[in-house]
């Protein structure tokens, strides 16, 4: 199953697990390969990026992505989804409705951040809302008993934050933008600051002290980093 992730610009995190930091907005995507299924966590910011990720995943693993988990409904994490025809798409409950009615806002947000009108329009015209909505926890079996856990841990960075727990040695927790390493966590209009520290507490409960925590932007971090960011957010927003 393991191949040379590095030659494709990916960072190997474990057996069949690798992640890539995408250009421009430094958003992270992660592949998790089981014996039968392949999960992709987030899909990039444009259809072009999604197609590139699909091509790389197939070259790395020799098969197609079967499942997609969207960490939250921001343009730089979801607009490549339409490139993965046939994949089962998962998101936190409420994500599907938000994406279905909010394509125009996503397009405008992408363009505000510097995306071309053509790329933003193409991606939002083809927008794929999640078919499966996670209200608590959802276990996916990727083959031979290898199970990953999708956990609705938000709200926090957005109103719809979905984390993924990947078992192994080490355990890997895919955090989305609940955790950011390359800059201060961004709290936009849809953030829920009063709940954000509790969402990070939940991530720490899921992963434990020895896990690798993969942020939505930046380098992989440890539990101490997540805990420190949790305390900084609590102080910043005046919550315990």
């Amino acid at each position: 199953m393991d191949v040379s992730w590095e030659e494709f610009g990916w960072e190997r995190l474990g057996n069949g697990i690798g992640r890539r930091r995408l250009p421009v907005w430094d958003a992270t995507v992660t592949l998790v390969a089981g014996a039968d299924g392949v999960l992709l966590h987030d899909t990039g910011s444009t259809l072009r990026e999604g197609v590139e990720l699909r091509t790389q995943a197939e070259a790395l693993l020799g098969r197609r992505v079967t499942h997609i988990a969207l960490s939250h409904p921001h343009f730089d994490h979801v607009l490549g989804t339409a490139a993965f025809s046939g994949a089962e798409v998962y998101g936190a409950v409420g994500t599907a409705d938000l994406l279905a009615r909010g394509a125009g806002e996503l397009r405008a947000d992408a363009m505000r951040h510097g995306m071309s009108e053509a790329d933003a329009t193409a991606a939002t015209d083809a927008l794929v809302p999640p078919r499966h909505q996670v209200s608590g926890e959802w276990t996916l079996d990727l083959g031979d008993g290898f199970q990953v856990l999708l956990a609705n841990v938000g709200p926090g960075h957005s109103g719809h934050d979905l984390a993924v727990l990947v078992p192994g040695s080490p355990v890997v927790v895919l955090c989305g933008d609940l955790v950011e390493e390359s800059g201060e966590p961004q709290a936009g209009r849809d953030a829920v600051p009063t709940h954000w520290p509790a969402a990070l507490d939940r991530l720490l409960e899921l992963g434990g002290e020895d896990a690798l925590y993969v942020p939505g932007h930046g380098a992989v971090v440890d539990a101490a980093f997540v805990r420190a960011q949790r305390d900084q957010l609590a102080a910043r927003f005046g919550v315990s």
Side-chain angles (χ1 to χ4, degrees):
M1 180 182 297
D2 286 329
V3 295
S4 179
W5 296 84
E6 289 74 17
E7 66 183 277
F8 288 92
W10 292 68
E11 176 185 1
R12 184 180 180 276
L13 301 179
N15 186 31
I17 308 170
R19 70 113 186 202
R20 182 181 167 196
R21 293 170 66 173
L22 298 172
V24 186
W25 293 284
D26 192 32
T28 288
V29 295
T30 304
L31 277 170
V32 182
D36 301 321
V38 176
L39 172 73
L40 177 65
H41 187 244
D42 287 345
T43 61
S45 59
T46 64
L47 286 175
R48 186 183 305 109
E49 221 163 49
V51 169
E52 181 182 357
L53 292 170
R54 184 192 69 206
T55 302
Q56 289 186 345
E58 291 174 4
L60 282 163
L61 303 170
R63 47 208 170 97
R64 295 171 65 90
V65 169
T66 56
H67 300 79
I68 289 170
L70 300 177
S71 65
H72 63 291
H74 290 170
F75 81 91
D76 49 333
H77 297 266
V78 305
L79 289 185
T81 306
F84 297 88
S85 176
E88 297 290 337
V89 183
Y90 297 75
V93 66
T95 301
D97 291 342
L98 181 64
L99 292 180
R101 69 173 187 269
E105 185 173 343
L106 269 183
R107 176 179 178 275
D109 192 35
M111 292 174 62
R112 277 195 300 270
H113 283 82
M115 188 183 296
S116 72
E117 182 177 358
D119 281 346
T121 300
T124 52
D125 281 352
L127 193 61
V128 177
R131 177 184 174 191
H132 307 287
Q133 299 198 70
V134 183
S135 60
E137 296 180 352
W138 192 312
T139 300
L140 292 179
D141 192 327
L142 298 182
D144 290 345
F146 178 54
Q147 297 181 331
V148 299
L149 180 71
L150 312 184
N152 184 340
V153 299
H157 171 72
S158 76
H160 312 282
D161 294 301
L162 185 71
V164 178
L165 174 70
V166 184
S169 183
V171 170
V172 177
V173 182
L174 310 180
C175 306
D177 286 5
L178 287 167
V179 178
E180 296 192 44
E181 186 276 336
S182 56
E184 185 172 327
Q186 298 300 301
R189 290 175 297 174
D190 61 340
V192 186
T194 55
H195 290 263
W196 201 334
L200 296 190
D201 287 337
R202 180 64 180 134
L203 291 180
L204 291 165
E205 289 173 5
L206 286 169
E209 287 301 307
D210 298 324
L212 298 178
Y213 293 86
V214 180
H217 302 266
V220 175
V221 300
D222 59 13
F225 181 95
V226 176
R227 189 172 295 106
Q229 193 157 93
R230 181 253 183 239
D231 292 343
Q232 291 163 5
L233 286 166
R236 175 177 166 189
F237 297 121
V239 296
S240 59

